[in-house]
Amino acid sequence: MQSVPHIGHLRSGVAFDIVRNWLEYKGFDVAFVRNVTNIDDKILTKAADNGRPWWEWAATHERAFNWAYSQLGVRPPSLEPRATGHITEMVEYMQRIIDAGHGYASDGNVYCSPATIEGYGQLSGQKLDEMDQGESAGTGKRDPRDFTMWKAAKPGEPSWPTPWGDGRPGWHIECTAMATKYLGAEFDIHGGGLDLKFPHHENEIAQAHAAGDGFARYWMHNGWVTMAGEKMSKSLGNVLSVENITKIVRPVELRYYLGSAHYRSMIEYSEGALLEAAAGYRRIEDFVSKFPDAEPGEVAPEFAEAMDEDFAVPKALAVIHGAVRKGNTALAEGDREQASALAQSVRAMAAVLGVDPLAETWHSGQDNSAAMGALDALVEAQLVRRAQARANKDWAVADEVRDTLAAAGVEVIDTADGAQWQLKAGK
C-alpha cells in the first residue's frame, strides 16, 4: 500500500464485500483473506521521495485504506496477513518451485520459468511468446519471459536472509505463499481488480502450479472506476478520495453507487451519476424509515435468482426498487401490514448489498429509529396540510409547506401515488 485510497480502490472492496454477504446469506462459512503488500518497489520509491521510513509509509497507507473501507461499511476480513510477516513461507515455497524444476537462483535473485509450466497464460488469454512481464531484466535471467520471485539485496534497501542470499520478496510470491498458508493448497475464489489479471494473477497461478498446488478454483475480476474512459489513478491526476467524495454524498450513498453496477462492469464516474445513485438510495431509505421497528425478513426469490446469476446486482437492485414501489402503493391504499412486510424484505435485500438504511453501521452505533419515526410523523402531517391546501387551490400555503420542509433538509416529490419525501444528501 503506497498511496491514499480513492474510490477506484474502494470499488474492489465493495464488490467482494457483497459477494461475501451473499455467500453467507446462502449459509456458507466464508473465510475471507485480504493480503497486504507492505514491501515493494513503489513503497520504497515513494517513502524515499517523501523522506519517510518504508515501514512507516506502508503502515500509514494501510491504516488509510482500512479507514476508507470502514467508512463504506466494508467488513474487516477474516485475516489480513502482511508480506513481511511471511518471509519463511515464501522461502519454503520458492524452494519447492526450484526442486520441481520450474525455478532457479542467479546472483541472489530467484526466478520462475513460465515456459516450463503447463497452461501458463490461460487466465489472461495470452500467448507466452507475446508476454511482457513489465519488470527490469535483473541479473542472471535465463529467459526474458521469466519473472522475479526474490530480489537480491541492494544498498539501503530492507532485506532478509535466504539460502540464495539476502534480499526481499517479489510481488507475486508473497500472495501465493500467504493464500495457500491460510486457505490451503486449493481454495474456492480468488478476486481482485481487472488490472491484476496479468501479470500478477497469472504469475500467482504459475507459482502455485509449479509447486504442485491447485490454487483457486474460480477467479473474479472487478471492473475499474474510470473518468473520461481512463482508469482512475494518481498518475492521471483524477484521483477522488473517499474523504472528498463523502463531502458530496454520505458514505452509504457512495457505497450504493460503487456497488450498483455489475462487478465486472466499468463505472464511468461523474458527479451527476453519483448524485443520481444517491437519490436512488434515498428512495429505499425513505420507504424503510417509515417502519423503524421492522426487522430484516427474507429476500425475494427474484433477488436470489439475480444474485445467483454471477452476482447480478443491477437486477437485484431492480427487485429492491420494485418492492419499494409496491410498498409505497400499499401505504397509499392504507395497507400498512403489506407495506411492513415489504419493508422487511427490502431490509434483508439491502443488507446483502451492505446498504440497509436501518443497519447500525450507518448510524454510528446509535439507534435512531425513534427519531426517524417521529420525523416521519411530523413530515406526513405537513404533507397532509399541503395536500389540503392544494385541493383548496391555496398555493401560498402549499408552497410555504414545501419551502419549510426544504429548509429543514426534506425534499418533497410529487408522484402519481401522492407526495413522497426523502432527506436531502448530507442531511
Side-chain angles (χ1 to χ4, degrees), residues 206-385:
Q207 292 166 154
H209 289 182
D213 291 339
F215 212 53
R217 298 183 182 95
Y218 302 98
W219 288 83
M220 298 178 67
H221 294 94
N222 63 273
W224 302 328
V225 177
T226 61
M227 291 183 68
E230 296 284 350
K231 177 177 177 285
M232 188 172 292
S233 66
K234 193 174 184 67
S235 62
L236 291 175
N238 56 15
V239 174
L240 294 171
S241 71
V242 173
E243 184 177 9
N244 287 335
I245 293 297
T246 51
K247 292 176 182 177
I248 301 172
V249 296
R250 292 174 295 167
V252 65
E253 294 166 345
L254 175 55
R255 178 183 173 118
Y256 179 95
Y257 169 67
L258 292 176
S260 61
H262 192 280
Y263 74 89
R264 288 188 281 106
S265 300
M266 300 295 181
I267 295 178
E268 174 67 15
Y269 174 81
S270 71
E271 187 170 318
L274 175 66
L275 293 175
E276 183 178 348
Y281 169 77
R282 290 197 298 273
R283 286 193 288 273
I284 299 172
E285 181 181 43
D286 170 58
F287 171 63
V288 170
S289 296
K290 292 178 170 63
F291 301 90
D293 297 325
E295 295 295 328
E298 296 295 325
V299 305
E302 298 83 0
F303 180 92
E305 182 180 348
M307 293 301 291
D308 284 341
E309 186 183 328
D310 194 22
F311 306 95
V313 171
K315 292 182 179 179
L317 274 174
V319 176
I320 293 177
H321 283 287
V324 168
R325 287 192 294 272
K326 291 178 182 177
N328 283 325
T329 298
L331 277 177
E333 295 173 350
D335 190 349
R336 191 168 180 84
E337 182 177 352
Q338 173 66 8
S340 178
L342 286 164
Q344 292 178 55
S345 179
V346 168
R347 280 203 67 187
M349 293 185 286
V352 169
L353 306 185
V355 292
D356 174 11
L358 300 185
E360 185 175 308
T361 303
W362 309 117
H363 303 286
S364 303
Q366 298 179 1
D367 182 5
N368 72 343
S369 58
M372 286 304 298
L375 176 61
D376 181 47
L378 292 171
V379 173
E380 288 295 338
Q382 289 297 310
L383 292 181
V384 168
R385 180 181 172 222

Side-chain angles (χ1 to χ4, degrees), residues 130-148:
E130 300 172 356
M131 290 182 181
D132 180 357
Q133 294 290 348
E135 62 179 39
S136 56
T139 58
K141 229 185 213 190
R142 298 174 184 172
D143 186 320
R145 300 169 300 181
D146 296 346
F147 62 86
T148 307

Side-chain angles (χ1 to χ4, degrees), residues 7-336:
I7 62 173
H9 295 130
L10 272 292
R11 168 86 191 280
S12 182
V14 170
F16 291 108
D17 196 48
I18 291 172
V19 170
R20 179 186 187 181
N21 288 346
W22 181 240
L23 292 176
E24 289 182 345
Y25 181 86
K26 296 277 285 186
F28 290 99
D29 183 7
V30 180
F32 191 99
V33 177
R34 186 169 67 209
N35 295 338
V36 176
T37 296
N38 63 346
I39 180 69
D40 68 3
D41 293 342
K42 291 181 180 179
I43 290 172
L44 294 176
T45 299
K46 290 183 179 295
D49 290 345
N50 288 272
R52 308 307 304 169
W54 66 270
W55 48 265
E56 180 197 52
W57 190 261
T60 296
H61 290 91
E62 180 182 345
R63 288 194 299 273
F65 267 80
N66 285 333
W67 172 85
Y69 286 136
S70 178
Q71 289 294 299
L72 269 63
V74 175
R75 291 186 295 153
S78 307
L79 188 68
E80 199 166 29
R82 297 170 181 82
T84 55
H86 296 79
I87 301 298
T88 298
E89 288 81 1
M90 296 180 210
V91 171
E92 292 174 351
Y93 215 93
M94 287 186 287
Q95 188 62 63
R96 289 168 58 190
I97 293 171
I98 291 173
D99 292 344
H102 299 297
Y104 58 94
S106 178
D107 297 331
N109 300 296
V110 183
Y111 300 103
C112 185
S113 305
T116 68
I117 302 168
E118 184 178 356
Y120 185 78
Q122 289 183 354
L123 179 68
S124 57
Q126 299 190 69
K127 296 180 180 179
L128 182 61
D129 291 342
E130 300 172 356
M131 290 182 181
D132 180 357
Q133 294 290 348
E135 62 179 39
S136 56
T139 58
K141 229 185 213 190
R142 298 174 184 172
D143 186 320
R145 300 169 300 181
D146 296 346
F147 62 86
T148 307
M149 296 189 290
W150 188 262
K151 299 187 176 187
K154 295 180 181 178
E157 288 189 355
S159 62
W160 291 262
T162 77
W164 315 287
D166 291 355
R168 59 182 175 84
W171 182 22
H172 315 301
I173 191 63
E174 62 186 51
C175 291
T176 304
M178 287 189 286
T180 53
K181 175 178 176 63
Y182 295 106
L183 297 175
E186 188 172 18
F187 52 92
D188 292 314
I189 299 172
H190 193 312
L194 182 63
D195 52 323
L196 299 179
K197 185 179 289 189
F198 181 84
H200 186 48
H201 289 166
E202 198 76 75
N203 289 347
E204 283 190 72
I205 296 172
Q207 292 166 154
H209 289 182
D213 291 339
F215 212 53
R217 298 183 182 95
Y218 302 98
W219 288 83
M220 298 178 67
H221 294 94
N222 63 273
W224 302 328
V225 177
T226 61
M227 291 183 68
E230 296 284 350
K231 177 177 177 285
M232 188 172 292
S233 66
K234 193 174 184 67
S235 62
L236 291 175
N238 56 15
V239 174
L240 294 171
S241 71
V242 173
E243 184 177 9
N244 287 335
I245 293 297
T246 51
K247 292 176 182 177
I248 301 172
V249 296
R250 292 174 295 167
V252 65
E253 294 166 345
L254 175 55
R255 178 183 173 118
Y256 179 95
Y257 169 67
L258 292 176
S260 61
H262 192 280
Y263 74 89
R264 288 188 281 106
S265 300
M266 300 295 181
I267 295 178
E268 174 67 15
Y269 174 81
S270 71
E271 187 170 318
L274 175 66
L275 293 175
E276 183 178 348
Y281 169 77
R282 290 197 298 273
R283 286 193 288 273
I284 299 172
E285 181 181 43
D286 170 58
F287 171 63
V288 170
S289 296
K290 292 178 170 63
F291 301 90
D293 297 325
E295 295 295 328
E298 296 295 325
V299 305
E302 298 83 0
F303 180 92
E305 182 180 348
M307 293 301 291
D308 284 341
E309 186 183 328
D310 194 22
F311 306 95
V313 171
K315 292 182 179 179
L317 274 174
V319 176
I320 293 177
H321 283 287
V324 168
R325 287 192 294 272
K326 291 178 182 177
N328 283 325
T329 298
L331 277 177
E333 295 173 350
D335 190 349
R336 191 168 180 84

